[in-house]
Structures are given as structure tokens and as C-alpha cells.
Amino acid sequence: MKKLFFSLKLVLFLVTTSCGYQPIYSNVNSNFNIRNVEIKNNNELNYKIKNSLKVFSRSKSNIEYDLEIDGNKTVSIISKDAKGNAKIYRMTVKLRTKIFRDNKNIDEISSEENFNYNNKTNKFNLKQYEKDIESNLIEKNIENIIFYITNLE
């Protein structure tokens, strides 16, 4: 039984390692440097966004951008049960970004991502789930910004 389990693990490992997985932005010609990211409001969401954008900076690039980020998160109740308790929530992460090059405002873009999810009886699990949703929505907004900046040229 142990040999069969080991063999199954080995086959699964070999199949998944040769699936051709690559990170999303490994082949993107993002030949730009995000020199400075200024956040508009001092909240946790904006700091998470700022830290996520640091990954896309390249120090040896001739094209340098400065960004001004203003992000906010809202959680609203979409549906309630018969007792008036929240049943379905919607989390929305909005991101407004001003792009500067050589101290000139080039463009301003807005990105908004949202996700609906059900309430949970265990509030700790609900908070953990909300953190995961927030991270995913931030990631989607960052992808939108990077895609836009990449296509500026």
C-alpha cells in the first residue's frame, strides 16, 4: 500500500512539474521603473497596494514613472435572510491611479473589482476569507494597472 501511494505521488509530481507553468509577468516586456509610489490615504489597503507594486520596478530602465494611488475598500450587504441578518456580502476594491513621467501627469486610470460571497457562521473564518478576497481583488487591480502602464508606449 505504501509503494502504491509513493508511486502515485511520484507520477503526480512528474505530471505537474512539466505542465508549462510560468508566472504571469515573466515574459512581459515591462521595461519601466516605478520610481515612487505615493499613497493618498494612509490606510492598510493602500500600503498593501504600494508593496505589491514594488515587484514591478526595474532599476535599470530609462522609462520611469511615479504613481499616486488612492484606493478604498467597501463591504456592503447584498442580501438578508428573514431575520434581517446578512446573507450575502459584496466586497469592492476601487483604485484610482495617477501616472506621472518627468513630473508631468500623463494619465489617470480607475480600476474597480468586486466579489460577492456568503456569510459564514464562524466569524473568524469569515474574516480570514475576507482577507483572501481582498488580496485577490488587489492583485486584479494591480494587474490592470501594470497592463495599462505596459501599453502606454
Side-chain angles (χ1 to χ4, degrees):
M1 185 67 176
K2 286 184 180 183
K3 288 183 181 181
L4 177 65
F5 186 67
F6 178 74
S7 299
L8 183 61
K9 277 181 150 179
L10 181 63
V11 169
L12 186 63
F13 174 74
L14 291 175
V15 169
T16 57
T17 57
S18 61
C19 69
Y21 169 79
Q22 289 184 341
I24 294 174
Y25 293 105
S26 65
N27 292 330
V28 174
N29 291 333
S30 57
N31 192 18
F32 61 87
N33 179 23
I34 298 177
R35 183 175 52 187
N36 186 25
V37 178
E38 182 181 328
I39 55 177
K40 209 58 161 159
N41 298 321
N42 292 331
N43 59 26
E44 186 178 343
L45 177 75
N46 286 330
Y47 284 111
K48 288 179 182 179
I49 293 167
K50 181 178 180 177
N51 289 334
S52 297
L53 283 169
K54 286 181 182 179
V55 175
F56 297 102
S57 296
R58 298 186 189 261
S59 60
K60 296 180 180 179
S61 175
N62 295 333
I63 304 170
E64 292 185 338
Y65 296 107
D66 295 321
L67 303 179
E68 184 179 294
I69 303 287
D70 184 15
N72 64 359
K73 173 184 82 167
T74 57
V75 177
S76 56
I77 299 172
I78 299 299
S79 176
K80 293 184 178 184
D81 61 9
K83 296 179 183 177
N85 298 323
K87 186 177 178 184
I88 300 174
Y89 293 104
R90 171 179 284 153
M91 182 182 293
T92 303
V93 174
K94 294 179 184 179
L95 189 58
R96 191 172 332 131
T97 307
K98 291 183 181 179
I99 304 169
F100 296 91
R101 184 169 178 192
D102 299 327
N103 295 326
K104 294 180 183 176
N105 188 356
I106 296 175
D107 209 348
E108 182 174 335
I109 59 171
S110 294
S111 179
E112 178 178 329
E113 296 290 335
N114 56 45
F115 185 79
N116 296 344
Y117 57 98
N118 294 328
N119 194 3
K120 297 183 181 226
T121 55
N122 186 330
K123 296 305 174 192
F124 177 76
N125 289 343
L126 178 64
K127 289 297 178 191
Q128 290 300 105
Y129 189 54
E130 285 178 339
K131 286 181 182 179
D132 292 340
I133 292 169
E134 180 182 310
S135 296
N136 290 337
L137 293 177
I138 289 172
E139 185 177 318
K140 286 180 183 180
N141 278 313
I142 296 295
E143 287 175 10
N144 293 340
I145 291 170
I146 296 302
F147 181 75
Y148 188 84
I149 291 173
T150 303
N151 292 321
L152 272 177
E153 297 289 314

